[in-house]
Structure formats: structure tokens, C-alpha cells
Amino acid sequence: MSKEIVFNVGKEQTRIAIVEDGKLAELYIENAEHKRTIGNLYLGQIRKVMPSIQAAFVDIGQEQDAFLHFSDLSDNLPYLLDFLGLETPKAEAIDVPRGKKDWDKRPSDILNRGQTILVQVTKEPISNKGSRISTDISLAGRFLVLVPLQNYVAVSRKITSDEERRRLESLASSLVPDGVGVIVRTVAQDRDAKSLDKDMKLLMERWRRVETRLKEKPSPPELVHKDVDMASSIVRDEFSEEYDRILVDHERLHNSIQSYVRAVGPQLVDRVELHEGTQPVFESVGIRHGADRAFKDRVELPSGGYLFIEKTEAMHVVDVNSGRSGKGKSQAENSLNVNLEAARVIARQIRLRDLGGIIVVDFIDLRDEGDKKKVYNEIKKGFEEDRAVTKVLPMSDFGLVEITRQRLRPSITTTFASANGTPSDDGDNGADPKELRQAERKIQSLEKEVEKREQEVERLRDEEDTPDEEMRALRQKIQTLEDKLEAARAQQATGDTEPRSASSDESTETDAVPDELVEEIEQWLVAHSDTHRAVTLRVHPFVAAFLRRPVPTHPTRWFMEHLVRVHVEEDAAVPPHSFRVTDASGEPLPESP
């Protein structure tokens, strides 16, 4: 599998994409308002201790108090509190014995309201919930994880060779200073003592800065250590021999990443590349459309089916629909094929959108237990490359598959409204999300109705004795449905909840569109009608208004005359006297002008 990391740096934000086999697998967006907080260390103050829910609430300076569950209290909590009580906090001044927790008091007897405590963020705030925190403090490096006020050396379980585990454990034991423990990461496999020693020194420098900050006796809440930003964390945690390259479109960040890779993995430094082309970096690697699709409720499947992804108060729900797929196949065969295709796309979309918590997928009903097992195995296979901890339950008798996925931060579709980083609270032009979903369902219903009528037209065309009156009536019905469909799509695109008419200014602009462009589009449709029965036509907004204005609309006429369904989509990037043609999934067709 080919893998690469792509960085797009703008004035206001940074977008990071992980690409697998040419397809967008993960997308991260970071800006000034949505900075990464996972890994930050705070000197907090306990606001409430609530034994009834086995938790405490801690003020760490954020809008909401952070949540400290008793299960997130570290084994060395008494030593951490002793450390904070020192006049000059030093880890080596605390004698931490080897072994597990040696304190028997209840957490509610150790934690008190108003008490100062050192905590680390493990999950970012989500919705109206504050950050989740832990007293299990750690500082992550490239090869090692430093664990202050602990007394152990551990090796990643992913390193399976007993000989290598013993070597790394012995090596780390010889490097670790007093008062701290260490965990050897998977990427440390086959590394020499020099690499590990350098990493250990860098981590100890960070911890000494934390001690120096605590020595100043700051008043809580106070940030005492800020972990690396999103870009640095992904390079630190992800980049390895498995990746073909890192592509960066910002010279300063490129130089920074190159310097870091040269220090920790000089053999990989040639894989850090600077994007110097005039084309935007996401477009140059062919993932712009994939990033845009991550913010749409509806996801088209290559076969003609589609997914509908919705967020409820408690979970995410995915509905699988067969759509236009399956011509010439039995119902059972078609259902299985659509479900298998959907399983692959769902796993990719969940990773891409970074959905977490409970996810329920409503697949098309299957009767055969063997077919259900195939779909279950396919969706499990799709999560093999996922870094988040994910559990998938077998398909139920109702065709439902339940998924739980580790949630560390809000999903990008919750935080942002588009791949350009538009905040979700104003990304829909003030439209009510419930009304937008209703509009989507209306479009879905109209599309199904048009599909039935199209099938009827094809059937009647094959019958030589079909009366002309019946064909005209059916075409008139299709025309009416197409008009309603185009109007519904226009309302959804603009976020309007009421029908609207073109303004006089808009009419003036659209009148400037030459008739030659309409003829050119129609000629293209006629030339390719045998290979493409449904296409998306991307045109300038003024041209789109021009095409929709007549009664019947131009798309309706094209369908009635050439039996090609044309979905008009506005794109301001397309020149007013030109057009682009894509397939249902949004990918440009090779024949597109």
C-alpha cells in the first residue's frame, strides 16, 4: 500500500491529509480557534469530588471544567501530590517504589475540593462536555515515552520478537534517569543506543522545563506544558518507512519537518518534499473532491447506490440504499454487492470524518447468514489501518451493525462545515440543519420517483404499440418532477427554506450567457449518451440559473430528448463560458472538456 502525508498551510489554518493508495483516508484541520490540546499539562484546581459518579471536576482554565474519572487516577497519585508539595519540585527527590499501586485509600479520601493537582488532557472538549483528563502524566517522543514519577521500563506490545524486546528493555534501563519511567515505542524497533539516548535527553529537557515552571508556584488553573501542534504530532507519531513521502506546500514548515526527520530518521529525509507547483497541493494529489465529500450527508457509491450519514444527539447513523444499482441481477446478489461496497466506503468515511462514539449502520436486509458474515468481515477489514480503537459487532437480524470507535476530539464534520475549514456554526448560511435534512429527504424522494418514470419510459419505448398520448403524458409528468427536483436542489444549495426567484440583477447577468454554450453542452451529451446516462454538469452560478429558468428547464429537455439525466451543480471556479462534466461521485470524466 502506498501512503503519504500531505500538508496544506494557509494564513488562518493548516490542513493535513493522510492518503492511502491515492485515496484520502484521514483529514485534520487546525486553526487558531481549534488548537490541539491533547497532551497538554495543566496545574488545575479540583472544583467538585463526586463519589456517586466516581469522578471529580477540575478547573484547568477552559470554558467547562475537565472531567477526571477515578479510573484515570494513576498508580503513583500519592507521589504526584508529594511532588507538587515540594518547595523545589524534582522528580528524583521522590522515592517511587517499583510495582503497582500501593495506596488503599478511596479516591474521594485523597482528592479534596480546592486541591491543586497536575493533570494531562487525554480527550478534547466535545459538545457540552469538558476535556477528559488523567493524572497519568507522560511526554511522548519519537522512540520513547517519558513517564515522570514512575519506576518501570516497558516495551510496546507490537514488538513481538522476544530477543528485540529484551534488547530494548536493557538499553532503555541503562538510559533512564532516577525518578522517571519509560515506555519504548514500536518505531524504536532495530534502533541503536544513540537514537534512543538522544530522544531521552530531549524528553528530559521538556520535563525539566515543567519542573522549572512549577517551581515558580503558579496559581491554578495554569498551562505548564503545551504539547506539539497537530502537524508535528502527526509527523512524530505516524511518519515511518511505511510512508512514501511527506508533501508540504509551505517552505518554513517543510524545513522544520525536514530538520526533525534528519535528526530522528536521516534515512527518510529524502521523502520530505516541497510542493512548488501552481496547482493547489490537494488538487495535485487528487484528493480535493474526497475532502469535499467528507462534509456531505449523502455519499454516492460507484455502483449507483448511496449512503446517508446523519448525526443524532447520542450517535451517528448510516443508512445504506441501493439506488440505481443492480440492473440485471437478482435481489439477493444486488443487496450483497451493494452492502460489500458500502462496507468499504463506510469504514473509509468514518476514518475520514473522524467519527467517534456509537455508530449504527443500517445495511440492506440479507437473509443468508454467510452473506451477513461477508459484510461483517469487509467492514472489519476496512478498520485495520485505523489508529483509533474500534470495535465492530456482527450484523443483527434487522441488518444493523453497531460500531464503537475511540473518540479523542470532535469530528471534523462537527467542528467545520467544509474542507476549507469554515466553522460549522456559520457554514450553512444560517439554515436550520433539520430543514436541510428535510430538503435532502425531499430530493431523495423525488429522485426515486423520477427513476421510476424513467424506467417506464424505457419500457414503453420498447413497445411498438404504445399510444403517443401515453408517452406525452409520461414525459409531462417527468418534466414536472424534474422541475420540482431542480427547485429542491437549488433551495438546498443556498440554504433557503422558501422557494426563491431570480433577481433582476441575476437575470441581467444570465442573459449574457450565449446560446452557443447551451448548444455545446447538448452536443456533448448527444455524443456521450451511449456511455453516460447520468452526469453532473458543473457550471458557473449564472449559467446554472440560465439553464434552470425556462419551463421546461434545459436539463428536463435534455432528458426528454436524449434520455440523459443531468444534475446541474454550481461552481464559481468554472468560467461563465465553459462547463465541466463529472460522474455521480464527483470525479471528472476523461471526456470532459
Side-chain angles (χ1 to χ4, degrees):
M1 177 187 291
S2 64
K3 299 176 72 174
E4 57 186 338
I5 305 174
V6 182
F7 290 87
N8 171 227
V9 182
K11 292 181 179 179
E12 304 291 336
Q13 65 180 6
T14 298
R15 297 188 299 170
I16 308 155
I18 294 180
V19 184
E20 297 175 355
D21 285 337
K23 295 182 179 180
L24 182 62
E26 297 178 32
L27 177 65
Y28 302 92
I29 303 176
E30 186 176 45
N31 59 22
E33 294 181 2
H34 300 93
K35 284 285 187 181
R36 169 188 163 96
T37 61
I38 294 177
N40 288 357
L41 298 184
Y42 291 89
L43 189 66
Q45 186 174 53
I46 297 177
R47 297 284 294 271
K48 294 178 184 177
V49 180
M50 303 183 68
S52 59
I53 62 171
Q54 295 287 291
F57 290 90
V58 183
D59 180 12
I60 60 173
Q62 295 181 344
E63 193 171 325
Q64 291 143 328
D65 289 342
F67 180 76
L68 175 61
H69 195 270
F70 288 170
S71 62
D72 292 321
L73 295 174
S74 57
D75 296 340
N76 67 340
L77 179 59
Y79 307 106
L80 177 62
L81 296 176
D82 291 343
F83 167 77
L84 293 175
L86 295 175
E87 188 64 31
T88 304
K90 287 287 184 183
E92 56 268 34
I94 303 296
D95 184 18
V96 182
R98 282 185 175 274
K100 294 290 184 180
K101 178 172 68 175
D102 62 350
W103 49 282
D104 299 322
K105 292 183 179 181
R106 294 179 301 177
S108 55
D109 293 334
I110 296 179
L111 303 177
N112 302 296
R113 183 176 180 179
Q115 187 176 24
T116 298
I117 190 168
L118 185 65
V119 295
Q120 186 165 36
V121 175
T122 58
K123 288 185 180 180
E124 294 181 352
I126 297 174
S127 186
N128 60 347
K129 298 178 181 178
S131 298
R132 184 153 183 169
I133 55 177
S134 170
T135 63
D136 200 357
I137 308 301
S138 63
L139 300 176
R142 172 68 173 173
F143 305 118
L144 304 172
V145 177
L146 186 72
V147 191
L149 301 166
Q150 292 283 13
N151 192 358
Y152 64 80
V153 174
V155 179
S156 169
R157 294 178 183 176
K158 293 183 180 180
I159 299 177
T160 56
S161 169
D162 291 338
E163 183 179 350
E164 179 64 7
R165 290 179 66 86
R166 286 193 296 270
R167 184 187 77 86
L168 291 171
E169 185 175 0
S170 174
L171 185 55
S173 298
S174 66
L175 299 174
V176 64
D178 292 336
V180 299
V182 69
I183 301 171
V184 181
R185 305 184 69 178
T186 308
V187 290
Q189 189 167 352
D190 299 325
R191 297 291 177 178
D192 56 16
K194 184 178 179 181
S195 299
L196 269 61
D197 182 50
K198 186 172 184 178
D199 209 33
M200 175 63 76
K201 289 178 178 177
L202 290 173
L203 290 173
M204 283 304 300
E205 286 179 11
R206 289 188 207 167
W207 177 245
R208 293 305 183 200
R209 287 196 290 269
V210 173
E211 292 178 334
T212 301
R213 184 73 185 94
L214 293 174
K215 182 181 176 181
E216 299 170 358
K217 302 301 179 184
S219 298
E222 185 71 27
L223 174 66
V224 296
H225 168 73
K226 183 174 178 57
D227 199 23
V228 295
D229 59 17
M230 184 74 74
S232 301
S233 71
I234 287 178
V235 174
R236 179 192 68 193
D237 299 338
E238 278 287 295
F239 189 53
S240 64
E241 284 82 357
E242 295 180 357
Y243 284 84
D244 299 316
R245 67 171 177 171
I246 293 179
L247 186 61
V248 191
D249 67 353
H250 188 270
E251 188 171 2
R252 185 181 301 172
L253 181 59
H254 168 263
N255 294 337
S256 175
I257 294 175
Q258 202 172 48
S259 298
Y260 175 76
V261 174
R262 185 178 291 110
V264 299
Q267 75 280 7
L268 301 175
V269 71
D270 291 339
R271 302 188 189 185
V272 182
E273 301 179 12
L274 177 64
H275 174 71
E276 297 180 311
T278 56
Q279 191 178 27
V281 65
F282 274 23
E283 289 190 20
S284 71
V285 295
I287 60 173
R288 185 178 69 84
H289 291 295
D292 291 338
R293 284 198 296 270
F295 294 85
K296 295 182 178 179
D297 288 343
R298 176 166 169 157
V299 180
E300 304 292 339
L301 299 177
S303 65
Y306 59 91
L307 309 175
F308 207 78
I309 304 175
E310 281 193 286
K311 180 184 183 300
T312 71
E313 186 69 25
M315 67 184 74
H316 286 86
V317 181
V318 184
D319 185 29
V320 180
N321 297 274
S322 59
R324 295 178 143 204
S325 62
K327 291 185 179 179
K329 298 178 183 178
S330 68
Q331 181 180 358
E333 183 183 6
N334 180 51
S335 297
L336 176 60
N337 289 340
V338 173
N339 281 342
L340 289 173
E341 185 179 59
R344 291 187 287 270
V345 175
I346 288 168
R348 192 160 59 243
Q349 284 293 319
I350 288 174
R351 286 184 62 196
L352 176 57
R353 298 165 188 245
D354 201 13
L355 304 183
I358 300 173
I359 304 161
V360 177
V361 184
D362 182 10
F363 283 100
I364 300 170
D365 290 342
L366 298 172
R367 295 185 178 181
D368 186 79
E369 292 298 324
D371 289 347
K372 292 181 180 180
K373 181 70 173 176
K374 289 178 183 177
V375 175
Y376 170 69
N377 290 337
E378 193 68 30
I379 199 166
K380 279 195 70 175
K381 181 181 177 183
F383 288 112
E384 288 178 354
E385 297 293 324
D386 194 358
R387 291 183 295 157
V389 178
T390 306
K391 293 182 181 179
V392 184
L393 296 182
M395 184 180 291
S396 72
D397 293 339
F398 299 106
L400 303 178
V401 171
E402 297 170 61
I403 304 168
T404 61
R405 186 172 183 269
Q406 182 184 23
R407 177 163 55 187
L408 298 179
R409 63 187 65 84
S411 70
I412 59 170
T413 54
T414 300
T415 309
F416 303 98
S418 72
N420 294 326
T422 305
S424 60
D425 55 0
D426 62 5
D428 55 8
N429 297 323
D432 186 339
K434 187 177 293 185
E435 291 176 344
L436 290 178
R437 285 195 292 271
Q438 290 174 351
E440 183 70 33
R441 292 191 186 98
K442 180 180 179 181
I443 290 172
Q444 181 180 339
S445 174
L446 287 169
E447 285 177 339
K448 287 182 179 179
E449 185 67 20
V450 170
E451 181 183 350
K452 289 180 183 178
R453 302 293 177 177
E454 288 175 3
Q455 292 172 353
E456 185 69 11
V457 166
E458 291 188 17
R459 186 184 67 79
L460 293 175
R461 287 182 66 193
D462 295 336
E463 298 179 5
E464 297 180 357
D465 57 346
T466 302
D468 292 340
E469 294 80 6
E470 188 173 343
M471 286 292 291
R472 280 197 295 270
L474 187 57
R475 283 176 173 167
Q476 184 62 42
K477 180 64 176 177
I478 291 175
Q479 172 188 322
T480 303
L481 288 170
E482 286 280 0
D483 290 343
K484 291 181 179 179
L485 183 58
E486 290 299 326
R489 283 172 174 158
Q491 289 177 37
Q492 185 200 37
T494 60
D496 291 342
T497 57
E498 297 293 336
R500 64 186 180 90
S501 59
S503 66
S504 57
D505 291 340
E506 186 182 59
S507 299
T508 303
E509 292 287 350
T510 55
D511 285 342
V513 178
D515 291 338
E516 286 80 7
L517 179 60
V518 178
E519 293 178 4
E520 187 178 346
I521 295 172
E522 187 166 7
Q523 289 173 5
W524 189 96
L525 294 172
V526 171
H528 300 89
S529 60
D530 292 334
T531 54
H532 301 295
R533 287 295 183 184
V535 297
T536 296
L537 181 69
R538 303 180 70 89
V539 293
H540 191 276
F542 294 148
V543 178
F546 179 84
L547 296 177
R548 293 173 180 144
R549 191 173 58 185
V551 178
T553 65
H554 285 289
T556 301
R557 293 175 183 174
W558 292 330
F559 173 73
M560 294 173 64
E561 295 175 11
H562 311 299
L563 288 178
V564 178
R565 290 190 67 235
V566 180
H567 168 52
V568 177
E569 193 164 292
E570 299 179 7
D571 188 343
V574 178
H577 298 279
S578 182
F579 67 96
R580 303 284 185 271
V581 185
T582 68
D583 61 18
S585 66
E587 295 296 331
L589 295 174
E591 309 94 327
S592 178

